């Protein structure tokens, strides 16, 4: 049965903290007073003010417990019941207006227990408001229940004094069985979540992350809820144990419980009609609208949930949008898009710049023996219409998956690839480098779009959006070797005593000297799918040279962009710099690319206690971000040398000039492909048939010649050519 306790009316608004949990010599208001600060003083009510309040149908259990500002107008408080200690700031004869909502300053028709109010606030028709510290010019109207308990944690994964461990909130990220669970906390960055979900065998590292979280928050009971200045809350039902920043806008929410809602004047957050959010953290500048359900979650800054989206046991990265669909047990890096009601994402690590199409089912465990499968998708992941994937699967950066039901586990190490399930021939087909051959416009425009739409006000983590970066370049090097081996095995695998290295060498020779012959031959691969069926690599003869050209472009472009910052002002200084340049493994740490050595050093500092909390770790993110340009340049120069099988000493001015000229040729082809891949949409007769004529089509979709992005790429190519020409002249190459 329901346990309903009956207590004396005189206790209403008092004994917020059980005496058992009060420190010696402290009263129940000590934490409230710490939160409020001593910036202002209040006085007790005067006799005529009490008389006015009573005449206005107000009630207090003890008028001596109501404290007010000197500019308090008692006529602006009507039909209210007060319990406990109340502080009220200035009340002046104004009305506040927000989005055509106009309400007079003051407190009206409300029941209020033990709260502090700033200046010129509006409290209208709040059935129950308890234990909140409310800022200046706040509007709260038509709220059923808004209160805070003494054990409020505001969405953070901690327990208060006297609580059992089983009330602690965990986020079960990346895996449904809870094996990668992390504690949510206000200020959690994508990199924090990624680090905590990895290296689970490292018990010391896991313990340190838990300690970071525990010490970031006070375990004492009795913290009040807060509502920052200029926040507007209207037509909401239940708000319980919620801390709210400044300039937030909450309208029509059904239930908000155990949350921190970060918001400020530069990045205001909004929560709209029909939403229910429980046990989570909402970042700065977030938007949550229209029937959203979120439980055990973290939303990083400037992310959005809309139109009935369900986000459960998940972390949503910055500048990401989820609409309509269902996402569970997932860790999502920045710049993710998922807009369709029938898409489903579960038990996945999605490394950002991703897009989920309608009907995509990523991570269903119904075809597995247990809830312990995972999917890892590199940045740029794009599963197409009605794609169904099976755990466990792993995909390289910028993988596009064509419509189909993929019944077997996949490992696709080829970046920029198209994956096709040919059910008719029972064959898995993979086309490495698909984007560069067939849809360069989308690839390039997306990279530009993500930078343009990065609205973060706090850029602690330096997010990499360029499709040519250390992570994708390392994947291209691996893909080159895999393609060489596949070609070598196709042509020479029947020979006895053929080692993998010798087959790879044979494949490289064929791709270099007999490329056309390779193009006419069916190239088969192995180990990419957990099945016995045929796996075919498509257009290897085109992808292999494209990857080599792109690595060359990456090396030269980084040299041109960042060489000056590394004091590379001549060919001699380049040679000296190149002697120290090294390639190596890079990790995508929440969208920030970090060298494996630097990441291991970071972990070691955490293990040894040299990094003692999340703020210190975040400062190291900043330091690594500041170093990223130099690290990336070193990687680019090392990649250039390895691609051409040269040492720094063997590099000559003639070599460099050739690489420079080749990079111009490559960028020119990419720019041309950008134009052509978009031009196809204008020339396709099936695209044209919905318009009466070309003029109507141009009116609806815009003229190709007026496409701002295309014009920008043409201008960038022109500037790049000029830059290369000037360097050749300056360095006398």
């Amino acid at each position: 049965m329901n346990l309903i306790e009956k207590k004396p009316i005189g206790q209403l608004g008092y004994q917020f903290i059980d005496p058992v949990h009060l420190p010696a010599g402290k009263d129940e208001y000590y934490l409230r007073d710490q939160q409020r600060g001593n910036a202002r003083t209040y006085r007790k009510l005067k006799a005529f003010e009490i008389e006015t309040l009573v005449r206005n149908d107000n009630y207090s259990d003890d008028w001596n417990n109501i404290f007010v500002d000197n500019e308090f107008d008692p006529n602006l408080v009507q039909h209210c019941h007060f319990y406990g200690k109340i502080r009220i700031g200035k009340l002046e004869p104004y009305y506040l207006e927000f989005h055509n909502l106009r309400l007079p300053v003051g407190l009206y028709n409300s029941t209020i227990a033990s709260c502090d109010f700033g200046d010129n606030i509006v409290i209208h028709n709040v059935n129950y408001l308890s234990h909140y510290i409310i800022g200046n010019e706040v509007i709260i109207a038509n709220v059923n229940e808004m209160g805070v308990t003494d054990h409020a944690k505001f969405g953070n994964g901690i327990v208060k004094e006297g609580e059992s461990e089983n009330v602690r909130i965990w986020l079960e990220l990346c895996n449904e069985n809870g094996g990668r669970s992390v504690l949510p906390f206000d200020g959690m960055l994508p990199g924090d979540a990624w680090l905590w979900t990895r290296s689970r065998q490292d018990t010391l590292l896991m313990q340190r992350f838990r300690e970071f979280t525990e010490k970031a928050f006070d375990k004492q009971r009795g913290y009040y809820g807060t509502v920052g200045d200029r926040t507007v809350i209207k037509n909401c039902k239940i708000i319980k144990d919620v801390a709210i920043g400044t300039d937030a806008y909450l309208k029509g929410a059904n239930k908000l419980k155990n949350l921190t809602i970060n918001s400020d004047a530069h990045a205001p957050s909004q929560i709209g009609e029909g939403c229910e959010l429980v046990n989570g953290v909402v970042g700065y500048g977030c938007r949550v609208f229209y029937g959203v359900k979120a439980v055990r979650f973290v939303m990083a800054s400037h992310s959005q949930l809309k139109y009935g989206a369900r986000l459960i046991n998940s972390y949503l990265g910055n500048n990401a949008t989820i609409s309509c669909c269902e996402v569970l047990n997932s860790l999502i890096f920045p710049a993710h898009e998922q807009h369709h009601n029938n898409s489903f994402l579960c038990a996945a690590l999605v490394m950002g710049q991703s897009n989920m199409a309608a009907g995509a089912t990523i991570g269903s465990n119904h075809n597995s023996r247990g809830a312990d499968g995972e999917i890892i998708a590199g940045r740029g992941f794009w599963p197409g219409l009605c794609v169904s994937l099976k755990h466990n699967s792993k995909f390289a950066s910028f993988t596009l998956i064509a419509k189909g039901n993929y019944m077997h586990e996949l490992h696709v190490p080829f970046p920029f690839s198209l994956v096709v399930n040919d059910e008719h021939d029972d064959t898995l087909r993979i086309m490495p480098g698909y984007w560069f051959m067939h849809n360069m416009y989308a690839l390039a425009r997306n990279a530009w779009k993500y930078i343009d739409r990065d609205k973060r006000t706090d850029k602690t983590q330096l997010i990499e959006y360029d499709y040519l970066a250390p992570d994708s370049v390392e994947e291209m090097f691996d893909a080159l070797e895999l393609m060489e081996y596949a070609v070598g095995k196709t042509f020479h695998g029947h020979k006895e005593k053929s080692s993998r290295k010798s087959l790879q060498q044979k494949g490289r020779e064929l791709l270099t000297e007999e490329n056309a012959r390779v193009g006419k031959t069916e190239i088969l691969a192995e180990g990419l799918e957990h099945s016995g069926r045929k796996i075919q690599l498509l257009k290897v003869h085109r992808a292999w040279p494209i990857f080599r050209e792109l690595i060359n472009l990456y090396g030269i472009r980084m040299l041109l962009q960042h060489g000056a910052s590394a004091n590379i002002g001549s060919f001699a200084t380049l040679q000296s710099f190149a002697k120290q340049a090294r390639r190596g493994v890079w990790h995508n740490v929440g969208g920030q690319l970090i060298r494996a050595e630097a990441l291991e050093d970071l972990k070691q500092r955490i293990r040894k206690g040299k990094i003692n909390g999340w703020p210190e770790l975040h400062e190291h993110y900043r330091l690594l971000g500041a170093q990223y340009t130099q690290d990336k340049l070193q990687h680019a120069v090392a990649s250039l040398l390895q691609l051409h099988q040269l040492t720094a000493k063997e590099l000559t001015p003639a070599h460099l000039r050739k690489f420079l000229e080749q990079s111009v040729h490559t960028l020119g082809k990419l720019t041309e492909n950008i134009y052509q891949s978009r031009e196809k949409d204008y020339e396709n007769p099936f695209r044209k048939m919905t318009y009466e004529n070309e003029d109507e089509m141009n009116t609806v979709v815009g003229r190709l010649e007026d496409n701002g992005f295309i014009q920008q790429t043409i201008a960038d190519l022109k500037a790049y050519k000029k830059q290369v020409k000037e360097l050749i002249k300056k360095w006398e190459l």
Side-chain angles (χ1 to χ4, degrees), residues 156-175:
N156 297 298
I158 58 173
V159 294
K160 292 290 188 173
E161 291 179 347
E163 289 188 311
S164 62
E165 182 63 29
N166 62 11
V167 305
R168 189 187 297 273
I169 300 300
W170 291 87
L171 299 188
E172 297 176 1
L173 303 181
C174 302
N175 196 306

mmCIF file of all heavy atoms in Angstrom, residues 156-175:
data_model
loop_
_atom_site.group_PDB
_atom_site.id
_atom_site.type_symbol
_atom_site.label_atom_id
_atom_site.label_comp_id
_atom_site.label_asym_id
_atom_site.label_seq_id
_atom_site.Cartn_x
_atom_site.Cartn_y
_atom_site.Cartn_z
ATOM 1 N N ASN A 156 23.725 13.851 -11.310
ATOM 2 C CA ASN A 156 25.095 13.355 -11.180
ATOM 3 C C ASN A 156 25.115 11.969 -10.539
ATOM 4 O O ASN A 156 24.293 11.657 -9.677
ATOM 5 C CB ASN A 156 25.924 14.325 -10.344
ATOM 6 C CG ASN A 156 26.041 15.681 -11.007
ATOM 7 O OD1 ASN A 156 26.590 15.797 -12.103
ATOM 8 N ND2 ASN A 156 25.500 16.714 -10.369
ATOM 9 N N GLY A 157 26.063 11.148 -10.954
ATOM 10 C CA GLY A 157 26.115 9.759 -10.512
ATOM 11 C C GLY A 157 26.769 9.593 -9.160
ATOM 12 O O GLY A 157 27.791 8.899 -9.030
ATOM 13 N N ILE A 158 26.189 10.207 -8.151
ATOM 14 C CA ILE A 158 26.734 10.142 -6.801
ATOM 15 C C ILE A 158 25.651 9.638 -5.857
ATOM 16 O O ILE A 158 24.488 9.512 -6.234
ATOM 17 C CB ILE A 158 27.233 11.532 -6.333
ATOM 18 C CG1 ILE A 158 26.083 12.550 -6.399
ATOM 19 C CG2 ILE A 158 28.403 11.985 -7.179
ATOM 20 C CD1 ILE A 158 26.422 13.899 -5.792
ATOM 21 N N VAL A 159 26.051 9.321 -4.635
ATOM 22 C CA VAL A 159 25.081 9.007 -3.580
ATOM 23 C C VAL A 159 25.329 9.961 -2.418
ATOM 24 O O VAL A 159 26.453 10.391 -2.174
ATOM 25 C CB VAL A 159 25.196 7.536 -3.113
ATOM 26 C CG1 VAL A 159 24.809 6.591 -4.220
ATOM 27 C CG2 VAL A 159 26.603 7.226 -2.618
ATOM 28 N N LYS A 160 24.268 10.300 -1.749
ATOM 29 C CA LYS A 160 24.350 11.208 -0.607
ATOM 30 C C LYS A 160 24.521 10.425 0.687
ATOM 31 O O LYS A 160 24.333 9.198 0.735
ATOM 32 C CB LYS A 160 23.088 12.068 -0.552
ATOM 33 C CG LYS A 160 22.961 13.063 -1.712
ATOM 34 C CD LYS A 160 23.989 14.173 -1.601
ATOM 35 C CE LYS A 160 23.745 15.255 -2.636
ATOM 36 N NZ LYS A 160 24.633 16.416 -2.449
ATOM 37 N N GLU A 161 24.854 11.146 1.750
ATOM 38 C CA GLU A 161 25.061 10.508 3.048
ATOM 39 C C GLU A 161 23.834 9.701 3.445
ATOM 40 O O GLU A 161 22.705 10.169 3.361
ATOM 41 C CB GLU A 161 25.338 11.573 4.110
ATOM 42 C CG GLU A 161 26.679 12.260 3.953
ATOM 43 C CD GLU A 161 26.888 13.336 5.019
ATOM 44 O OE1 GLU A 161 25.901 13.678 5.696
ATOM 45 O OE2 GLU A 161 28.017 13.830 5.149
ATOM 46 N N GLY A 162 24.089 8.468 3.865
ATOM 47 C CA GLY A 162 23.008 7.626 4.330
ATOM 48 C C GLY A 162 22.280 6.859 3.244
ATOM 49 O O GLY A 162 21.403 6.047 3.546
ATOM 50 N N GLU A 163 22.618 7.107 1.969
ATOM 51 C CA GLU A 163 21.948 6.408 0.874
ATOM 52 C C GLU A 163 22.677 5.109 0.544
ATOM 53 O O GLU A 163 23.901 5.010 0.699
ATOM 54 C CB GLU A 163 21.894 7.289 -0.376
ATOM 55 C CG GLU A 163 20.929 8.454 -0.273
ATOM 56 C CD GLU A 163 20.766 9.169 -1.605
ATOM 57 O OE1 GLU A 163 21.788 9.485 -2.245
ATOM 58 O OE2 GLU A 163 19.620 9.409 -2.012
ATOM 59 N N SER A 164 21.921 4.148 0.053
ATOM 60 C CA SER A 164 22.524 2.879 -0.356
ATOM 61 C C SER A 164 23.072 3.001 -1.774
ATOM 62 O O SER A 164 22.621 3.836 -2.563
ATOM 63 C CB SER A 164 21.498 1.750 -0.286
ATOM 64 O OG SER A 164 20.433 2.002 -1.181
ATOM 65 N N GLU A 165 24.008 2.134 -2.094
ATOM 66 C CA GLU A 165 24.678 2.184 -3.391
ATOM 67 C C GLU A 165 23.708 1.932 -4.542
ATOM 68 O O GLU A 165 23.930 2.394 -5.660
ATOM 69 C CB GLU A 165 25.810 1.154 -3.415
ATOM 70 C CG GLU A 165 26.636 1.134 -4.685
ATOM 71 C CD GLU A 165 27.379 2.436 -4.946
ATOM 72 O OE1 GLU A 165 27.726 3.140 -3.961
ATOM 73 O OE2 GLU A 165 27.618 2.761 -6.130
ATOM 74 N N ASN A 166 22.639 1.226 -4.288
ATOM 75 C CA ASN A 166 21.744 0.865 -5.396
ATOM 76 C C ASN A 166 20.938 2.039 -5.945
ATOM 77 O O ASN A 166 20.234 1.883 -6.947
ATOM 78 C CB ASN A 166 20.806 -0.280 -5.003
ATOM 79 C CG ASN A 166 19.887 0.093 -3.838
ATOM 80 O OD1 ASN A 166 19.788 1.251 -3.447
ATOM 81 N ND2 ASN A 166 19.238 -0.916 -3.266
ATOM 82 N N VAL A 167 21.021 3.212 -5.315
ATOM 83 C CA VAL A 167 20.327 4.381 -5.879
ATOM 84 C C VAL A 167 21.222 5.150 -6.848
ATOM 85 O O VAL A 167 20.771 6.093 -7.491
ATOM 86 C CB VAL A 167 19.827 5.333 -4.772
ATOM 87 C CG1 VAL A 167 18.958 4.604 -3.783
ATOM 88 C CG2 VAL A 167 20.989 6.041 -4.062
ATOM 89 N N ARG A 168 22.482 4.752 -6.949
ATOM 90 C CA ARG A 168 23.411 5.469 -7.835
ATOM 91 C C ARG A 168 22.997 5.280 -9.295
ATOM 92 O O ARG A 168 22.639 4.183 -9.727
ATOM 93 C CB ARG A 168 24.836 4.967 -7.639
ATOM 94 C CG ARG A 168 25.885 5.818 -8.356
ATOM 95 C CD ARG A 168 27.262 5.186 -8.284
ATOM 96 N NE ARG A 168 27.774 5.071 -6.941
ATOM 97 C CZ ARG A 168 28.458 6.022 -6.313
ATOM 98 N NH1 ARG A 168 28.686 7.173 -6.919
ATOM 99 N NH2 ARG A 168 28.904 5.822 -5.083
ATOM 100 N N ILE A 169 23.085 6.358 -10.058
ATOM 101 C CA ILE A 169 22.737 6.332 -11.472
ATOM 102 C C ILE A 169 23.990 6.053 -12.297
ATOM 103 O O ILE A 169 25.007 6.747 -12.168
ATOM 104 C CB ILE A 169 22.118 7.672 -11.920
ATOM 105 C CG1 ILE A 169 20.844 7.953 -11.127
ATOM 106 C CG2 ILE A 169 21.827 7.652 -13.417
ATOM 107 C CD1 ILE A 169 19.767 6.919 -11.287
ATOM 108 N N TRP A 170 23.918 5.023 -13.148
ATOM 109 C CA TRP A 170 24.984 4.686 -14.094
ATOM 110 C C TRP A 170 24.454 4.840 -15.515
ATOM 111 O O TRP A 170 23.275 4.604 -15.775
ATOM 112 C CB TRP A 170 25.448 3.239 -13.904
ATOM 113 C CG TRP A 170 26.189 2.982 -12.628
ATOM 114 C CD1 TRP A 170 25.657 2.668 -11.410
ATOM 115 C CD2 TRP A 170 27.605 2.999 -12.440
ATOM 116 N NE1 TRP A 170 26.651 2.492 -10.479
ATOM 117 C CE2 TRP A 170 27.865 2.685 -11.088
ATOM 118 C CE3 TRP A 170 28.685 3.249 -13.290
ATOM 119 C CZ2 TRP A 170 29.149 2.622 -10.569
ATOM 120 C CZ3 TRP A 170 29.976 3.174 -12.766
ATOM 121 C CH2 TRP A 170 30.201 2.871 -11.428
ATOM 122 N N LEU A 171 25.328 5.206 -16.422
ATOM 123 C CA LEU A 171 25.012 5.173 -17.847
ATOM 124 C C LEU A 171 25.644 3.923 -18.444
ATOM 125 O O LEU A 171 26.874 3.779 -18.427
ATOM 126 C CB LEU A 171 25.559 6.401 -18.577
ATOM 127 C CG LEU A 171 25.066 7.781 -18.166
ATOM 128 C CD1 LEU A 171 25.591 8.826 -19.143
ATOM 129 C CD2 LEU A 171 23.561 7.832 -18.102
ATOM 130 N N GLU A 172 24.828 3.059 -18.988
ATOM 131 C CA GLU A 172 25.325 1.810 -19.575
ATOM 132 C C GLU A 172 25.613 2.054 -21.054
ATOM 133 O O GLU A 172 24.819 1.713 -21.929
ATOM 134 C CB GLU A 172 24.304 0.693 -19.360
ATOM 135 C CG GLU A 172 24.077 0.388 -17.886
ATOM 136 C CD GLU A 172 22.993 -0.645 -17.636
ATOM 137 O OE1 GLU A 172 22.412 -1.154 -18.620
ATOM 138 O OE2 GLU A 172 22.708 -0.942 -16.458
ATOM 139 N N LEU A 173 26.776 2.636 -21.325
ATOM 140 C CA LEU A 173 27.138 3.040 -22.676
ATOM 141 C C LEU A 173 27.752 1.888 -23.459
ATOM 142 O O LEU A 173 28.393 0.993 -22.886
ATOM 143 C CB LEU A 173 28.129 4.203 -22.634
ATOM 144 C CG LEU A 173 27.696 5.467 -21.893
ATOM 145 C CD1 LEU A 173 28.793 6.519 -21.967
ATOM 146 C CD2 LEU A 173 26.401 6.014 -22.446
ATOM 147 N N CYS A 174 27.566 1.901 -24.772
ATOM 148 C CA CYS A 174 28.263 1.043 -25.738
ATOM 149 C C CYS A 174 27.890 -0.434 -25.655
ATOM 150 O O CYS A 174 28.214 -1.197 -26.571
ATOM 151 C CB CYS A 174 29.789 1.155 -25.598
ATOM 152 S SG CYS A 174 30.410 2.823 -25.811
ATOM 153 N N ASN A 175 27.255 -0.840 -24.595
ATOM 154 C CA ASN A 175 26.995 -2.253 -24.391
ATOM 155 C C ASN A 175 25.796 -2.398 -23.467
ATOM 156 O O ASN A 175 25.723 -1.731 -22.441
ATOM 157 C CB ASN A 175 28.229 -2.921 -23.777
ATOM 158 C CG ASN A 175 28.192 -4.430 -23.882
ATOM 159 O OD1 ASN A 175 27.241 -5.064 -23.456
ATOM 160 N ND2 ASN A 175 29.237 -5.002 -24.450
#
